[in-house]
Amino acid sequence: MKGNWMGRAALAAGLALLAGQAFAADLEERMAPSEAAVDFAAQSPWQIRVRGLGVITNDSGSVNGIPGSDLSYTDTVIPELDISYFFTDNIAAELILGTTYANVHADGAIEGLGKVGKAWLLPPTVTLQYHFTDFGAFKPYVGAGVNYSLFYEQSGSGRFSNLDIENKVGAALQVGFDYMLDDHWGVNFDVKKIFLEPKWKVDFDGAPLTGKAKLNPWLVGAGVTYRF
């Protein structure tokens, strides 16, 4: 009986040892970084893009107290720099930097008054993006965020003076893609919609006028991507 008991104990100890080794191997496999994680860890989380950007405004606005009044604005093409930080393969934050100007024209019922003035605009925008990673070199993304538009060097024209467009916070939506040529370089196409309707005021022959400028621009850009 004693020998039988010792044999069973030895068998149980052997099985326990094998089970421990299997568990340790399984744990090691589970804790080892996946190939995707290794690839992501090998890349810098920083990325920059340089784009040519078309700023296409919505020609709409109003002067308080004048029915049928409207405003229109010039469209522009500018250089743009953006800086992205990837928290994961899929999630990134992007800061968009650029500056442009807009000539403001009276329109609608007040079209005959001509050019109201000119203002420069600095609209830094931060978006949180989701990048799709299942399409090889083609990497589409969508984003949403916040824009803060600062107007500066504002001036009236002709009979208009003291043009003042308020700084304004607005929402931003974004869709685009990178096509990566190698691990670092790629080409980019991007479209953003900025929701921007600031209040404004100006003097016309010394009389104050107020209203709302419904700019709501589309930002359409193409350029070069570099992933560090």
Side-chain angles (χ1 to χ4, degrees):
M1 292 289 295
K2 182 177 179 181
N4 190 30
W5 178 86
M6 292 181 63
R8 291 178 181 178
L11 178 61
L15 291 174
L17 179 61
L18 289 174
Q21 290 174 339
F23 176 77
D26 182 66
L27 182 61
E28 182 178 359
E29 181 179 351
R30 288 175 180 272
M31 295 187 67
S34 66
E35 183 178 347
V38 170
D39 289 343
F40 178 72
Q43 280 190 304
S44 167
W46 293 99
Q47 177 178 279
I48 62 171
R49 298 188 186 94
V50 178
R51 300 188 186 104
L53 190 70
V55 182
I56 305 168
T57 56
N58 177 35
D59 288 329
S60 182
S62 61
V63 178
N64 294 332
I66 304 179
S69 60
D70 204 353
L71 299 172
S72 62
Y73 323 95
T74 51
D75 299 331
T76 57
V77 177
I78 62 169
E80 182 216 55
L81 170 69
D82 76 58
I83 303 168
S84 298
Y85 184 87
F86 283 78
F87 301 101
T88 70
D89 273 346
N90 301 105
I91 305 298
E94 180 185 74
L95 172 64
I96 302 140
L97 300 170
T99 188
T100 186
Y101 69 89
N103 290 311
V104 183
H105 296 271
D107 212 339
I110 57 173
E111 182 177 2
L113 299 180
K115 182 178 176 179
V116 175
K118 179 179 179 179
W120 281 84
L121 169 64
L122 179 65
T125 304
V126 176
T127 59
L128 185 65
Q129 302 171 330
Y130 185 85
H131 291 252
F132 299 89
T133 57
D134 300 327
F135 304 99
F138 177 65
K139 300 184 182 299
Y141 57 85
V142 294
V146 177
N147 162 267
Y148 183 65
S149 293
L150 300 96
F151 293 87
Y152 64 100
E153 292 190 12
Q154 305 179 62
S155 59
S157 178
R159 300 166 67 184
F160 294 94
S161 61
N162 299 321
L163 175 64
D164 183 16
I165 306 173
E166 71 169 358
N167 298 338
K168 183 74 172 177
V169 176
L173 297 176
Q174 178 183 36
V175 62
F177 68 85
D178 293 300
Y179 187 86
M180 300 306 295
L181 305 175
D182 58 30
D183 288 341
H184 298 286
W185 292 98
V187 293
N188 173 263
F189 181 76
D190 183 273
V191 177
K192 289 182 281 291
K193 177 67 173 180
I194 306 295
F195 297 91
L196 179 62
E197 298 188 359
K199 295 178 181 178
W200 67 282
K201 58 185 179 181
V202 72
D203 292 337
F204 178 70
D205 287 343
L209 299 176
T210 61
K212 180 175 284 190
K214 299 179 181 180
L215 296 162
N216 295 325
W218 288 94
L219 310 181
V220 181
V224 177
T225 297
Y226 184 78
R227 181 76 178 264
F228 288 94

